[in-house]
Amino acid sequence: QILEPQDQQNLQKSYTLKDWQGGYESLHQEFDYWIDDIEGEIPPELQGTLFRNGPGLLDINGQKLHHPFDGDGMISRITFTNGRAHFRNRFVTTAGYLAEKKAGKILYRGVFGTQKLGGWLANIFDFKIKHIANTNVIYWGKKLLALWEASEPYLLNPHTLETLGNEYFNGVLSKGEAFSAHPRIDANGTLVNFAITPGLSTTINIFELNTDGEITNKQNHSVAGFCFIHDFVITENYCIFFQNPVSFNPIPFALGISSAAQCIKVQKNQPTKIIIIPRQNPTKKIKVLETQAGFIFHHVNAFEVGNEIIIDSICYESLPEVEPNSDYRETDFDANSPGKLWRFNLNLPTNTVENHLIDDRSCEFPTMHPHHVGKSYRYLYTAAAHKSTGNAPLQAIFKLDLELQQRQLWSAAPAGFIGEPIFIPRPNSQTEDDGWLIALVYDAEHHRSDVVILDAVNLEKGEIAKLHLKHHIPYGLHGSFTPE
Ligand code: 3ON
Ligand code: FE
């Protein structure tokens, strides 16, 4: 059979597995320098600091972690000032990080499959999981906080990135209490966050923090069944949670055979429960609607229109395998289902949900204008695959105009691999997409990372500036920008 040229192109991959794997090497060194290897020009109006978090170590003294989500949190800080940029990175010195560094071996079980050496016998009945701080980092109320959803935040010095201890918000959190890695800041400048304490029934806590970084309100709710909820959305009046259709069998975890997350199985044909909790007036009842959504890690945004709530989310048909004997470095992208953007329309009077696919492209780490959180919005940005269909590593930034259904793509393929983009509004901007997108791009050709700055109005004109770091940064999770 003779293939048409476009089919041949489609068969060709935009990446090699070997190039992609390079971004999963540990970074041991802690750096502190002005970036001087720059292509293009840093916009002088771009002033402030970008903080990023993610696993910095993918092994402990050569013993490989089973999954990147088990890696110790490392904070990177890029400060933009008067057209220059400064880089610094530092590990969050959690108790577990320090103990394993000293011992030179894995001492704890990780949530996503990392085990102590010695097989199940070495892990049986060990329920102590390692508390890491690798998922997000926010600067709020003059506090720099490293977040991980299963326990309390770590407080860091925003300049030196030194770990100062845990943050309990004047005793509102108790020791070991969860505080999620996905806070949302509403239009009034209130930070809203949640916490999940799973069990046979699950507790959902909702926190509101003022701009001084104090918790001013804490609600508790109990919902039926086990929950794995990584992210949520807010609107003016509601907090909304998608209870993924999963079952949890803790026995293999107790017996030392597998980790907690490996005991979670997606129940493909079960509905997702959408839990709608009023933000004010807690006497108003919680509403639970049902839909078919597969598995969700991240939402983009939500907003109310009349009696409807509209929510945009990234949905997977199933969870990627984290099986005990698998190696994430050998991921067969074609065998996993891609994350795709869906819109959910919740009709509150009729208790019905409609959903539709927004775009077929594989994507993850969505973002948008910070002032439109919980409100209607027009532009969505996300890391995405280079090609418009199929599952592949994130190599591109995709912009969607939800109003005019227009799309733009900036791609770093074949040797570039991308993490979460952050949208930074231009000071005094008048339109929603007037600003910059900044992302870390792992360049496999030079085994180093670049800080890439794009004009969010037009991604396709190419990068405004590309800042070459002296080293790579392992693929990260989330981060945030502060104009301070
Ligand atoms: O038994 C419970 C179950 C459970 C899963 C107890 C629990 C609370 C300890 C728990 C813990 C959950 C945790 C710690 C989740 C952490 C998640 C995390 C660190 C990251 C999630 C990232 C999500 C995505 C979609 C990343 C995508 C990355 C790429 C596409 C490639 O770079
Ligand atoms: Fe996340």
Side-chain angles (χ1 to χ4, degrees), residues 31 105 112 141 224 300 351 363 421:
F31 293 88
K105 62 175 186 181
F112 289 92
V300 194
N351 294 327
C363 60

Side-chain angles (χ1 to χ4, degrees), residues 397 410 418 437-441 450-454 463-467:
I397 298 182
W410 175 84
I418 206 156
L437 286 166
I438 304 194
L440 288 174
V441 180
D450 295 332
V451 181
V452 168
I453 306 172
L454 301 173
E463 52 273 19
I464 300 176
K466 208 172 180 180
L467 289 55

Side-chain angles (χ1 to χ4, degrees), residues 205-234:
N205 288 321
I206 297 172
F207 308 93
E208 296 208 340
L209 281 77
N210 63 16
T211 47
D212 292 329
E214 293 158 347
I215 295 180
T216 51
N217 188 18
K218 181 179 180 183
Q219 294 187 41
N220 314 306
H221 300 276
S222 181
V223 298
F226 177 82
C227 287
F228 183 11
I229 301 177
H230 174 73
D231 191 10
F232 80 139
V233 274
I234 58 173

Side-chain angles (χ1 to χ4, degrees), residues 135 181-182 230-231 297-298 365 477-478:
T135 313
H182 278 289
H230 174 73
D231 191 10
F297 277 107
H298 296 128
F365 298 135
L477 292 164
H478 303 287

Side-chain angles (χ1 to χ4, degrees), residues 167-211:
E167 175 64 37
Y168 295 102
F169 304 104
N170 284 320
V172 180
L173 286 191
S174 54
K175 193 163 168 44
E177 188 175 340
F179 191 76
S180 107
H182 278 289
R184 302 250 170 193
I185 298 164
D186 75 7
N188 302 321
T190 299
L191 184 143
V192 188
N193 198 14
F194 71 99
I196 301 292
T197 311
L200 290 177
S201 75
T202 295
T203 303
I204 301 180
N205 288 321
I206 297 172
F207 308 93
E208 296 208 340
L209 281 77
N210 63 16
T211 47

Side-chain angles (χ1 to χ4, degrees), residues 125-193:
F125 301 134
D126 183 354
F127 297 102
K128 280 196 310 295
I129 50 177
K130 187 177 176 186
H131 284 203
I132 49 185
N134 69 0
T135 313
N136 201 351
V137 54
I138 57 167
Y139 184 67
W140 186 254
K142 304 257 181 277
K143 295 173 194 167
L144 186 67
L145 301 171
L147 305 177
W148 181 66
E149 69 195 64
S151 66
E152 66 273 62
Y154 274 83
L155 179 69
L156 313 174
N157 178 314
H159 301 287
T160 63
L161 303 181
E162 184 194 351
T163 304
L164 303 173
N166 286 115
E167 175 64 37
Y168 295 102
F169 304 104
N170 284 320
V172 180
L173 286 191
S174 54
K175 193 163 168 44
E177 188 175 340
F179 191 76
S180 107
H182 278 289
R184 302 250 170 193
I185 298 164
D186 75 7
N188 302 321
T190 299
L191 184 143
V192 188
N193 198 14

